[in-house]
Structure formats: structure tokens, C-alpha cells
Amino acid sequence: MAPSLEIVDTAADDIVVKSIAANGNGSALDRADQHDKVLKVFRSFISDLCQQFNGGHPGSAMGMAAIGVALYKYVMKFSPRNDNYFNRDRFVLSNGHACLWQYLFMHLVGVKSMTLDQLKSYHSSLTDSICPGHPEIENEGVEVTTGPLGQGVANAVGLAVASKHLAATYNKPGLELVDNMTFCMIGDACLQEGVGMEAVSLAGHWKLNNLCIMYDNNSVTCDGTADVANSEDMNGKMRATGWNVIDILDGDSNIAAIVSALTQARTSDKPTFINIRTTIGFGSAKAGDAKTHGAALGVDDVANLKKISGLNPDEHFAIPQDVYDFFSDVGPRGQQHEAQWAEKIQKYTQEYPEEAAEFQLRVEGKFPSDWAKYIPAKENLPTEPTATRKSAGIVGNVLGENIKNFLIGTADLTPSCNVAYPNKVDFQSPELETACGLNGNYSGRYLHYGIREHAMCAISNGLAAFNKGTFLPVTSSFFMFYLYAAPAVRMAALQGLQQIHIATHDSIGTGEDGPTHQPIALPALYRAMPNTLYIRPCDSEEVAGAFIAAINATETPTIISLSRQTLTQYPQYSSREGVAKGAYVFYEAVDRFDVTLIGVGSEMGFTMQTKDILESEYGIKARVVSFPCQRLFEQQSRDYKRSVLKPGAGRPTVVIEAYAANGWERYADASISMRRFGKSLPSKAAYEFFGFVPSAMAPKIKDLVEEVRENGIQCLRGDFRDLSGYLGVGFEH
Amino acid sequence: MAPSLEIVDTAADDIVVKSIAANGNGSALDRADQHDKVLKVFRSFISDLCQQFNGGHPGSAMGMAAIGVALYKYVMKFSPRNDNYFNRDRFVLSNGHACLWQYLFMHLVGVKSMTLDQLKSYHSSLTDSICPGHPEIENEGVEVTTGPLGQGVANAVGLAVASKHLAATYNKPGLELVDNMTFCMIGDACLQEGVGMEAVSLAGHWKLNNLCIMYDNNSVTCDGTADVANSEDMNGKMRATGWNVIDILDGDSNIAAIVSALTQARTSDKPTFINIRTTIGFGSAKAGDAKTHGAALGVDDVANLKKISGLNPDEHFAIPQDVYDFFSDVGPRGQQHEAQWAEKIQKYTQEYPEEAAEFQLRVEGKFPSDWAKYIPAKENLPTEPTATRKSAGIVGNVLGENIKNFLIGTADLTPSCNVAYPNKVDFQSPELETACGLNGNYSGRYLHYGIREHAMCAISNGLAAFNKGTFLPVTSSFFMFYLYAAPAVRMAALQGLQQIHIATHDSIGTGEDGPTHQPIALPALYRAMPNTLYIRPCDSEEVAGAFIAAINATETPTIISLSRQTLTQYPQYSSREGVAKGAYVFYEAVDRFDVTLIGVGSEMGFTMQTKDILESEYGIKARVVSFPCQRLFEQQSRDYKRSVLKPGAGRPTVVIEAYAANGWERYADASISMRRFGKSLPSKAAYEFFGFVPSAMAPKIKDLVEEVRENGIQCLRGDFRDLSGYLGVGFEH
């Protein structure tokens, strides 16, 4: 175990000298007085911002002031005037409610869009404010949107993986094109949330020494002292998880100590955890009190804070010129970083023209233009019954092998999800390769996330956010466990981050694993989630269509929902072009039709058989619509939609899917669906148990058709029918 | 830090003697030979069960054989013939895929329903099998349904909290009515999943010394060696989290060592973590290989396993009499435990008649019959604008204070969720109370879960499962974070466990916290989830109705969805009886009506104002339906449903809710809803931004009414209308 290095205040000045030098800034003054003033002005400004609309989160922003000075003034290598500088250190504010802290430092170091007026728009009704209640990726200088706690830590791990991978892939001796750090600011919550701890475990396992977590340890949460819910030896826990741990005893004012710790993080052989003791709401009369967390301090406290800070209580939003001056070297230093990097690129281009060309495409975030050639043509896809999870391997693994943008991962389901492409190399620490004889190093593109679905997807958000288009992360697990990962998938959709989630074992067809593993309601979540594609292909051709749609959706996460069990292939009917439209006519009845059947994913086989029985047994002509993706269908023209569903024809429409029917009412008059949780039975038996039997479904549909013939289609208005066969025990909805 | 106690094999016999004595069984033989035979028979039987249908999970079940003998034969205090024995030790198989292990031990110790035929029904098509692919609570001797990894650990923490709380509340010196242990079996996954680590942290914090985790450390997962995704010092991590750690070096055969460790766990001052090294698929030629995890071993391997075990390869499902004899003392010992407990109860009843009567009701799982008297009458509810989260405090906290069945918790949002009832006492270790001067001890009923929403709900499943009706767990957080907790809420619904989840800050009305905190798609999940009530009341009276519905739903989790912002109260229209029906006529138009408006939760105010404008500006008569719960409405008669929505009247229906419209198509022709994620703006401004403005909504509804007047209601068929005002940028669906 690494010893806990305690930095004591006496050494402060030297440390500042060292660290400033380390940051290419010659001057080596004792800046104690300057620091003191900057901190006081910063804290009073924060208190003003929250007071103006009597809201916001002042406490941690004030407590973290010294950390910010250390990071923004002395340590972080970035360019305030160019947030696209590729090799910049990444910063993630995982405790996003402290966003004012970030906004104000961005203003002080000269981020153009972050004006005084913008700062004052925090919590205002200004609709084009760049100072929302939590940092948002759309705004200059923000790497990822944070707010839901724990997500940011995992995003930071993803950002660190991204730069480790690029470094291992493209760096050459003396020409380190990518060597940036990722700094992540967290509060107590990020270490309590499961997703945070999952990500922390992986960072330790992967030995991500380019990652540094700064723990704002003010031992206060909403409920008061953090002791009410936590008694852990946090440093011990982090060490046991493979982290280098540094303690800072006085995080309220000892900028020097923080600078030194952050500087050491750059040279650590492990990820670094800096445990920084701070005081929430430092400077306020309520300092140390949970009350300062989520509410303005009050007019008197704000005035008093200024008075004892030697500032004018009647002045608001005041930033003296010498405080701006204090940060004035950050901008030029950023331009130096950019210039040095440009020089490196130039040398690299001369010495390694081929690699340079490829690297340039990665920097531009370009996906290879010829990717489509790797998607098998229809005639090369299997025609014998095939599980769509197997089809996904056939379609996706050629892409995975040939396109470096893909970073492909699994939550410990390599044998089940079929995303392991030929000749895959694992993303692992080379030390682990030596130790365990595993096939892996940092240039590997196959990620073993362990049984950590939530972190898998949250880390993927960091991969996608590193630089738009540089990576296209792929994850894989059973569809049911994308409920564990849902908060992270949602954050991808909110941020417009492209991802492909390979979700196998969907529907009750999963079989013996039983109701715990059979999704019923989950599709309703992803079909309702904005900017998310939930695609459920019915055979190999539609799987090809699903991958094409997912790659074309450059600002959207896509879930490809696949079967464990083998499915009949319909090369004569299925169409990748149809998938692109979300739904399409799969089988058109001749002359006339009496009913439209909607078939989805692994239930298409039952649908087609039911269609046949309806005709042979009852002379009822059914047309069949394949409906792999509601979201894509909603994006089509009204005319196209009506041409597929023919709502005006006065014929009923029945959807057949082994999920809750919720949402299908938009397209159908009746459903054969699931009204309760599933059951542990072999796949075929499970479908039978719940009435997904063509010979049982056909007569129910026949009755509906006859009722409509008699009473007209209007008899179904406001009366969505459940034609499911199963009526037995269990919790019905 | 506690030193790691290593138990070496030499001491084995003594330990068996000690432990057997400790379990009230006098004999003290060296049972090495017997143990050897039992283990061999057990493992070959498991291999037969998986081979018969060529599936299942043999590996861990075989590797954990010795652990099972230690637990079922020597340590666990339970009664095989009576799984309702109240003070039984609880057992949770968190690695539920190893269920055959539990099923077979239940058979060997004489659990009545677990016959040989039932065992053989594993993975069969038998629809009334009690041997599903994962253990299910409905079946004899199963405490909780497990399968989704990590959940079981949290359930076990809940079971341990339940018994700690009952002990602190009812036990008297020398009369320990409740002193049972909770044993939890886990694999690697449960320590990787975030929910597991969250629960483990809380168990350490609460010093739950009645909890023992047995870690089946076979260092193999689906992807091969666990080293591909984990490098933690697990023992160090558990110690840092406040656990007592014991190492078992030979978990494949050293029953004595395991017995000793389990016995020590009973007297520990902390929760105990036993790290047991085992070999997956022990006995098989593929022992130690991941291939034995999720597939049958193959006919040859099964035969070979029997041969080298000295068993007959041609005999299947064979259990020699002496193996049954070996376990024959477990049943009688269980009856002794029951008898001793009955005696205690008798003494207790004589000495403490009052407490005994109350305790008896808890044992019977009875909720106080007079609970309704604590729900305020309509006339005592606020009439001035009130946030429903505040109404929930007014209605719920009287219940919380007076009814001991309630264990009420929060994910660090005490100041926001208003579930802290008057004179609350926290559930805490008394040592913590002394150390931090906190108000708490084990008899406390207010739980600080920390920022751990997922564990909060998964632990609540354990509380509810301890003994049906003994507890009614309440949780609280922002609604958005019930997405983190969704996998646990789903497990409650699947198991029929009653709970009340107080979900505040719903809809975009949450305001400044922005899109990360504003739910859009989440209601679609909970409205589709079987056996789940998602209730969204519009004012204080409907909040009262929501609590009544939640308490009456004794086999169902209920989410009460509440506003952060203040809402107009409608005492003249709102009705708790209406909530019980899911939806009801809120305002009936006189003489005729032109349109039905559905108002939901915090959007009811806008709906009523829109109704007024429609009449005053356009002479359009609107009726208004309040629709707090889709699931409850679906349970009503067809006649009632039609009387509320009047689908036959040929008038359009418009729903007004600031969520994705998905699912409302069943009841409405059009919606004013959310097509994208929200925005960081003050509550009122956020609603305006997305077009929830009566003066803007009214004309759109007027146009729809006129279109229907002109073309008839059929013009809306298959053409669900989105009348939302917002058409700007952002990711539209």
C-alpha cells in the first residue's frame, strides 16, 4: 500500500515555486497575499450570484475556491480561448451543483463566452444562458454535462481511457501527441453512488495514472454531517482499489499544498485520489453548515462576509483589476501549449506521415467514409434460423475489426453477446498483461468492464465526449441490465453522444433465467426517452439495418435489442431500408385486407404464422408491418406513416410483442402483449404460457375483425383491446 | 484495522466439535469421511441436473458444496419444515444463478415441497416448478427473489436491519425474541455491482453484526479469470468499509474451517465478510474453467466425475441413504429452535403483556386497523397554494409518527422531501450516537441511506421481505433518481412487496436544476411496469388519496410523484375517492361539451385555466378529467372507464402533461407534452419555454375542436396529435 503523503503548510512557498516552474511560468514569488485576496473576492462574488435570485448552491463553490486557484492558475494545461485544443487537460465537475465555481474560474481565466452578464444569468429566466444549474456540454469549456451524482466520475474515467488509448496508439518517442491529464472534482455523493464506485474500481484496475480525483471533503451533505450515512476509511478504500492517495489538511487556503499534490498526480504510476479537507460555505457566518449547500446565504450574511473580507458590502459582483491580473498569464500559457503541440504535430507529420494522416482524421472526429463496405450484403446473410444476437456478431464484428473508432466493451458477457471481433486486443494495463499473461495493452480496443453495467455506459459517455467522433463506443449486456445502466444511457441522449448498445436476451424468449431476466416494461422507457433509438430487428437483414441506422445517428445513442433464441429469417420480406424508416410494410395482402398485424423483433415469426392461419382457417386477409423502431418512424412524413399503417381504411390493427403494450396505442387498436412479469420456462414454453401461439392468436384476431365488420371501426375508439391469451395468476396490471 | 484471521486446516476437527456443540448437537466425531462422500454425491447430482436438459449453471453450485454443508448442516438456525419460523436465520443467495445449490440442500435437509421430482424440473417446461432458473420468493424456503446481481446483498442488509430494529424495539434481558442472523452468499458480481457496494457501505456504517457475507471466491467470471476486470484488495476494501474479514484458504473441502468462520460471525461486533477460496466446477474435468459457469458439463465429464468420485456413472440423480442420514438431525434441531422460541414468547407474554400483544401483531404482519384516522380530512388540508411535496409531509408524517410498521428513509434529501416525521429517531448504531452525538439507535425508524438511491430501494425490499406486513418501508428522493433505483423498484413489483416511494421534484417544474433533474421518459417506465402504482396527485386532497391507495396496495410498490413548486388547490373538485379509481371527472361541463381535457399532477392548474379560456374566448365547453394513476384506472370496469372519458361522444380528448406522451394515446387523441429533454429555467419560465401556457394552449385546442366539428372524430384515427407549443432546437424525438 502506498503511504498517505501528508503535505504540511510549512513547505508551502517552495511548493508553489516548484509547481509554478513546472508549469513553465518563471516567476517564483510568495503569493500568499495575492492568494488571500483572490479567494476573498471569489467567495463574495459567489455569494452575490446566489443572493440575486435567492437560490443556487453557494456552499461547495465557496469551499472549493482554493482548489480552483490551484487548478486553473497553476496546474491545468488548457487554452481558455480555444476549448477545442485537442491535447488539453480535461476537467469534470462531477458535483455539478457547484457549477458557479467552474463558471467563475472560466470567467477569470478569460473564456470568451463567459461574460459578467452571463455569470449573472445563473438561475435567471434568460433562455440562452450558458450558466445553467448544472454544467452543460453545449457550452464553451464544459467537457460533459453533470448533475446526477456519480456520473461525472465515470465520465472522467472514460476521458482518461480515451487519452491512454490514443497515446498508446499514436504517440512516438519524444512525440507525445496525446499526454493530457483528466482532473475530476467530486463531493461525498460521487463516492457513495454505486456508479462512482464501479468506475473507481475500473480506474484502479486499468492503472489510469492520467486521472486525478479531487475530493472536496467538507464532511457535510444535505442531511447534515456526512457521518449520518458514512463511516468509511475512504483513503484506505481507495488504496485497496489501486489508487495513489494524497491528503490535504487545509484545503480552504493552502493553495501551495494543492498545487503540489496535483503536480505529483501527473507523475504517479496509479490514478491519484486527493482527499482535500475544506469548509462548506467558507467565509460565511454559516460556514460548515449544510444550510449553505442549496440556498443563498441571505443579504446580511453576504454583507458580513464582504466586511470581514475587507471588501465593500455595498458593492455587488465586484472583481478588482488585480484579481483579473492574477489570472492574466493563464491565457498566454494556454497559447504556448497550443503552439508547442502544433510543433509536435508538424514534426510527427514529417517523420510518420501515414500515422499522422490517420491521427488527423481522429482529431477531426471523422468516421471512415467507406464504413458501409463492411456491412454484409443481404445475400451474404444467413438464411437458416439464426438468433439476432448471432446476426449482430456477423454484421458488427467486421466493423469492429476494421474501424479503429470503435471501442467495444462488455459487462462480462463476452460468450453471450458476440461482440468480441476477430483478433481483438483487450484494453489493459501492460503490467497486467505481464502479470496475468492476458492479451492486452492500452492500444487494445476491447474493454472488459466486469459486472458493472452502469459504469460501462457512463464511462462510454466519457469516451464519446473526449472529442466528438474520435470514438464510437459500443457496450454489451443482456437487455434487462440496461435498466441498471439507464441513468447513463439517458445522459448520453441528453448530451447527444453517439453510442451503440448491444442488448441481447430481450423479451421472454430469454427463457429459463426467468422473470428477473425477462424485460417487460423496459422498452417503454427507451421508446419514450428523447434522442434515443431503441431498435428491435426481426432477422439478420434488419440487424444490418439497425447497425446502419446506429452509425448514421451521429448525435444519438442506439440500443440494438436482440434475441437469445434462433429466429426464422425473412430475406424475401425484411429490408434494411425499411429499418431506416422505423417501420415498413413487410407483407402486403393482395386485392384487399381485413386487418394489419404489427410484428416486432423476435415475435415476427409468430406474426407471420398467425397471418397464414388467418387466411387458411378463416379467409381473413392480413397485411404485416415490421416495426423495429418507433422513434425512427415518428421522424417520417405523415404520408409515409399513413401508407404503412393505413388508419383511414377502417380496418383494425393488432400489434404482437411480448412486452407491455404501453405506447403501441398510437399505432394499433389491440395488442397481444404482456400484462405481468415473465416466467422461468424454456423459450418456446414461455411464449406458449403467455399465449404467443399463432393457432391461439388467430381466432382472437378473427373475432376482432368480425366485430369491426359488424359495428365499424369506430367501435374500437377509446377501447384499446388486450387479446393476450394468458389470464392466470400473478400480478396483472 | 482488524487483522485477517487465517484458519488453517490442522485445527479443523476441534472447530467442528466446537461448532457442532455450539449448535446444540452433542456428538463430536471427526466426520471427514462422511463430508467427503456428501460433497461427491452433491456435486454429481448437480451435474446430472444440468445435463438432463443440457443447460443451467453447474459451476458455482458445485464449487460452493462445502459452504452449503457448513451452513445447512452445522450453522444455520432454521426449521426445514416451517419456513415461517419467525426468528429463523435468513439466507439470501445473491448469486441466484447458483440456485440448484440451494434447491438441493433444501431437499437434503427435508424441505417438504422440494421433492426429487421438483429438483428434476429445473429448466423443464413444468409450469408449476418450484425450481426456476433463479430463486423466487413465492417458493417455500426462499427469502427473496434474486438474479439481477448485487440486489441480493442489499436485500440481505435490509433483512439484517429489520431484525436489528425488532430486537432493539422488543427484546428484553434474557428474552431475545429476535436474534437471528442473515447469511448472504455472493459471487464476484455482487462486489462489482454498484448497488452491492452501496449496501456494503451502509452495513458497515450501521455496524450490522447480525449480517454475514460468504464470498464464493472462485476468481472466475463469464469472461474467464476475474483478473480481466478486477485488481482490488477485496479484504482491504471490506475492512476500510467497516467489516470484519475472515479468510478461508480451502473452501472446496474444509467444512470445519467454514463452520468456524460462520460461528465466529455470530459473535462479531461488525458485519462479517468471509472470503472463501473455491474452485468453480470442482470435481469436473473442466474445474476452474469459466465454461462450467453457464452450461452443462457434457455426458462424458459427468460420467467421469462420478467415476473418480467412486460413484456409479450409470446411476443418475442418486442420493444414498447415508447422505440423507447425514442431514437427518437438521429437521429435529429446527423443531427445537421453534420450541425454545415458543417458550420465550410465553414467558415474554407473562412478563410484558402489552409489548407481547404488539409484537404478536408485528409477527402476524398486521397493519394497525385504525390507520385511516391519521389521514387528515379534506377540510383540514391547506387551501392556499401548496407544493404537493409539502402536502405529502402534512398527510404522511402523522402516519409516520404513529404507525411503527413504517421504516422511513431518504437518500440524503431530508430537507427537500419532507418525510422527517415529528420526534423522529434515526436508525443508527448506538456507538455512532455516542461518537457523533447523533440522535439515533437501532430502535429508530428514520434511515439515512446517504446518496445511494439504488441501495435504498433494494434494502427496502429486504425490509419488506423479512416477514410480510411487519414493515412498510418508505423511501424518498427526487423522482429523477428513481431511475437509479429502478432495478430495485422492479424487484419489489416482481415480488409483490409493498413500499411507498416519495418522489419529489417531478416534471420540468423542478426548474433551475435543469434537464439532468427533470424527468421526461421515466413515468413511461413506471406506468408500464407490472404491479406498480405510479400516482401523480394534483393537490393535497389527491395526495391524501395517493397515500390511501398506497397503503391499501398491500402487494404492490407505490411511487407518489410530487411537485417542488406550489400548486393551486382544488377542494371543490379534487377527490381522494377519485384517486382510488385512477382517474375521475374533475369538472363536468354543463349541457354539452366540445372537448375533454386530461389534467395530471402539477399540470392540473394549467388545464383548468385552459378550460376557462376555451369557454370565455371561444365559447368552447371543456370537461376536465383528473388522471393521477393509469394502473388504477385500468383496474376499473369498462363502464366506469367510458363514463370518465366518453370516447363514444365523438369529441376529442387532449392530455396536458409535461412528460413524454407515450402511453397516453390509450386515452387521448392529442397531447400537450414534452418531445425533448427539459431546460434549466425557473419553474414558471420552464413551463412557458415549453408552451405550457393556457393562453397558448387554448387556441391549439380550439383548432382541434373545429377540425373535429368539420370532419368528424374519425379524422383523428391513427393520427395522434402533438399540440405542444415548443418547436425550437434540441434533440426532438
Side-chain angles (χ1 to χ4, degrees), chain B residues 239-254:
Chain B
R239 283 192 203 94
T241 311
W243 286 62
N244 166 35
V245 174
I246 302 177
D247 273 321
I248 300 290
L249 304 181
D250 172 16
D252 292 325
S253 59
N254 193 342

Side-chain angles (χ1 to χ4, degrees), chain A residues 282-299:
Chain A
F282 187 89
S284 152
K286 293 193 277 297
D289 188 326
K291 288 189 187 65
T292 67
H293 167 79
L297 302 176
V299 179

Side-chain angles (χ1 to χ4, degrees), chain A residues 571-624:
Chain A
Q572 67 277 42
Y573 303 120
S574 61
S575 145
R576 60 190 68 190
E577 295 74 20
V579 174
K581 294 192 161 78
Y584 62 102
V585 178
F586 197 74
Y587 170 87
E588 191 57 87
V590 274
D591 308 332
R592 70 158 215 278
F593 77 96
D594 306 303
V595 61
T596 298
L597 304 181
I598 295 175
V600 192
S602 50
E603 284 80 70
M604 177 57 85
F606 302 121
T607 310
M608 290 296 280
Q609 292 165 40
T610 305
K611 181 259 304 176
D612 293 339
I613 294 174
L614 280 168
E615 176 132 31
S616 59
E617 297 285 309
Y618 310 106
I620 288 174
K621 290 199 169 193
R623 53 196 296 272
V624 176

Side-chain angles (χ1 to χ4, degrees), chain A residues 149 192-194 198 201 205 221 223 230-232 412 448 451-453 484 490 513 515 665 669 717, chain B residues 134 149 192-194 198 201 205 221 223 230-232 412 448 451-453 484 490 515 666 669 717:
Chain A
L149 295 162
Q192 291 185 21
E193 291 284 7
E198 290 178 5
S201 295
H205 169 71
T221 67
D223 277 11
N230 212 53
S231 314
E232 289 175 354
D412 193 51
H448 294 279
I451 303 100
R452 305 180 181 102
E453 299 83 4
Y484 278 52
R490 175 179 179 268
D513 277 342
E665 302 93 338
D669 305 295
R717 172 170 165 76
Chain B
H134 293 87
L149 295 163
Q192 292 185 21
E193 292 283 8
E198 289 179 6
S201 295
H205 169 71
T221 67
D223 277 11
N230 210 54
S231 314
E232 289 175 353
D412 193 49
H448 294 279
I451 302 100
R452 306 180 181 101
E453 299 83 4
Y484 277 51
R490 176 179 179 269
R666 182 179 288 233
D669 306 293
R717 172 170 166 78

Side-chain angles (χ1 to χ4, degrees), chain B residues 118 168 225 273 350 372 395 403 429 485-486 506 586 601 607 703 715-716:
Chain B
Q118 274 293 349
T225 161
F273 177 76
Q350 288 156 358
V395 173
I403 296 179
S429 155
D506 71 351
F586 197 74
T607 311
D703 294 346
C715 73
L716 298 182

